[in-house]
Amino acid sequence: MLTNDQMRAADFKGDDTITIKTVEMPKPGPGEALVRVLRTALCGSDFKLWHKGAEFIAGHEIFGRVEQPGHALDGQRCAIYIPLHCGHCEACRAGNSQMCIEVSSLIGWNRDGGYGEFVAVPDNCLLPVPDDIDDDLGPLLLDTIGTSAHAVREAERFLPRDAERPVLVTGAGPVGLGVVLALKSMGYENVHVSDPNAARLRIAEDFGAYAHPVGSRDKRFALIIECSGAHQARDLAIELVLPKGVIVLVGENAAPWTIHEDKIFRRKDFAMLRTFYFPKSDFEANVELLRANKENYRRLVDDAFGLEALPEKFARFAAGETIKPVLAFGETR
Ligand SMILES: [Zn+2]
Ligand SMILES: [Zn+2]
């Protein structure tokens, strides 16, 4: 039996083990709000914590409802923006809230996140979500739509939008598929996708992309958005990018990556960009993106379950059996 100041939460213990335990309720500090978690989407970047263990409650794709009487947003459903940010440094003032120079903590990484019934978050991390977006789709506004659409918008600083431009997306996980949907709804017609997983590739094709065999060298691309994090995919991108083209590195990899300065690399003008998460100012446009493609985005959410099932469901997700499963909390208390 839980007391009023206790809740249930996941404990990532390392060695691919998660247990569910009872912990103290979070206590919001000044300038923070208590959020009842409604959905937290599972994310491949959590594998690190699954292997090595987490110091804090994990979970960083959080959608919930503010439950704090007297708070300006009490009762409002919000997506939780995970980078803490000061709001007044040079980066924040320029609108780059995800790259704040003063604070670099991330919710779900350096402080408690969404694999628990409640979470305390700074007020400036609350992103109100309109009523027509249902709970299951709410968390997609973060990594799946936010990170993906930001990668495309950054590329467009160097390559103006052109429907015919050949684009390759490497990796058809949730972010790669998110990039495909973002590209398609921004008008790109010539989108190719590579991924060793046939089921994921089929979804990309249903979204209007062309399958590009992994490792194939028979086409060149003006824009390559690398979402797998695999070194081989990055190397191949350097080879396949057209002169004056752009590579965007979205996928992450903790192992060092060596760039070979051979003639393929040396004898070409091209831009290589890294993009991280998204600025808060993108949020409204991202809600529009979701609205315009609700049924496509819904296909990515292929499982929903309660907290007690997380250990088993996380293992299935890590085995590549699901794309964007969501932890769904009941409101029984
Ligand atoms: Zn994520
Ligand atoms: Zn700042």
Side-chain angles (χ1 to χ4, degrees):
M1 216 32 212
L2 293 178
T3 64
N4 276 342
D5 55 4
Q6 291 177 326
M7 68 167 191
R8 299 286 280 166
D11 185 4
F12 280 52
K13 302 189 86 68
D15 291 325
D16 303 357
T17 305
I18 301 171
T19 59
I20 308 303
K21 64 177 184 181
T22 297
V23 299
E24 296 292 296
M25 280 283 284
K27 293 187 179 51
E32 295 185 348
L34 184 68
V35 172
R36 174 192 288 274
V37 180
L38 298 173
R39 298 287 185 279
T40 297
L42 277 56
C43 178
S45 61
D46 290 329
F47 295 158
K48 270 180 263 178
L49 303 174
W50 196 52
H51 299 321
K52 293 191 175 160
E55 200 181 327
F56 298 95
I57 297 171
H60 61 270
E61 299 188 26
I62 313 163
F63 176 74
R65 179 183 299 120
V66 178
E67 284 202 3
Q68 192 161 310
H71 191 281
L73 290 175
D74 185 39
Q76 172 69 49
R77 295 179 321 143
C78 293
I80 307 303
Y81 190 75
I82 64 163
L84 301 199
H85 52 287
C86 73
H88 47 72
C89 72
E90 214 176 316
C92 285
R93 275 188 284 116
N96 301 315
S97 43
Q98 80 277 34
M99 298 176 272
C100 175
I101 293 162
E102 296 298 321
V103 232
S104 71
S105 284
L106 299 174
I107 296 170
W109 295 97
N110 318 106
R111 59 182 276 162
D112 287 343
Y115 294 144
E117 293 178 278
F118 291 87
V119 62
V121 304
D123 290 338
N124 68 357
C125 291
L126 296 167
L127 300 173
V129 171
D131 292 344
D132 64 307
I133 306 296
D134 51 273
D135 292 352
D136 280 347
L137 296 179
L140 300 186
L141 286 164
L142 300 165
D143 297 31
T144 305
I145 298 175
T147 301
S148 305
H150 175 58
V152 178
R153 292 184 186 118
E154 278 296 292
E156 289 184 338
R157 290 202 296 136
F158 299 83
L159 275 185
R161 193 171 300 180
D162 175 350
E164 295 308 314
R165 216 187 276 295
V167 185
L168 175 65
V169 180
T170 48
V175 170
L177 290 169
V179 168
V180 171
L181 286 174
L183 286 164
K184 293 300 288 184
S185 53
M186 292 178 190
Y188 290 82
E189 298 291 345
N190 197 1
V191 180
H192 302 251
V193 179
S194 66
D195 194 288
N197 181 320
R200 292 181 172 200
L201 212 49
R202 211 160 321 121
I203 295 175
E205 289 181 293
D206 288 347
F207 292 169
Y210 305 105
H212 179 83
V214 175
S216 165
R217 291 175 160 78
D218 66 0
K219 271 194 194 69
R220 296 287 182 272
F221 301 92
L223 171 60
I224 300 179
I225 304 189
E226 205 304 290
C227 302
S228 73
H231 292 171
Q232 272 177 325
R234 293 176 179 177
D235 292 339
L236 190 63
I238 290 173
E239 204 175 317
L240 299 187
V241 70
L242 281 163
K244 299 286 177 190
V246 172
I247 298 171
V248 188
L249 302 175
V250 184
E252 297 180 353
N253 191 330
W257 175 40
T258 306
I259 296 179
H260 302 281
E261 289 195 43
D262 51 13
K263 71 177 188 205
I264 293 167
F265 180 84
R266 282 199 309 268
R267 298 188 191 171
K268 182 157 61 182
D269 287 12
F270 66 97
M272 189 151 61
L273 312 179
R274 158 69 182 161
T275 61
F276 170 67
Y277 212 62
F278 61 97
K280 282 202 300 187
S281 52
D282 278 7
F283 194 67
E284 240 170 87
N286 292 342
V287 169
E288 285 310 316
L289 213 61
L290 175 54
R291 267 200 190 113
N293 298 278
K294 268 189 192 172
E295 294 321 306
N296 282 335
Y297 281 112
R298 203 181 298 283
R299 270 195 75 180
L300 304 181
V301 184
D302 48 359
D303 201 4
F305 44 84
L307 184 63
E308 305 297 324
L310 182 67
E312 178 222 328
K313 298 291 193 174
F314 196 93
R316 287 196 52 197
F317 172 61
E321 291 173 30
T322 45
I323 295 175
K324 204 66 185 166
V326 294
L327 176 56
F329 289 89
E331 296 193 50
T332 52
R333 54 180 289 195

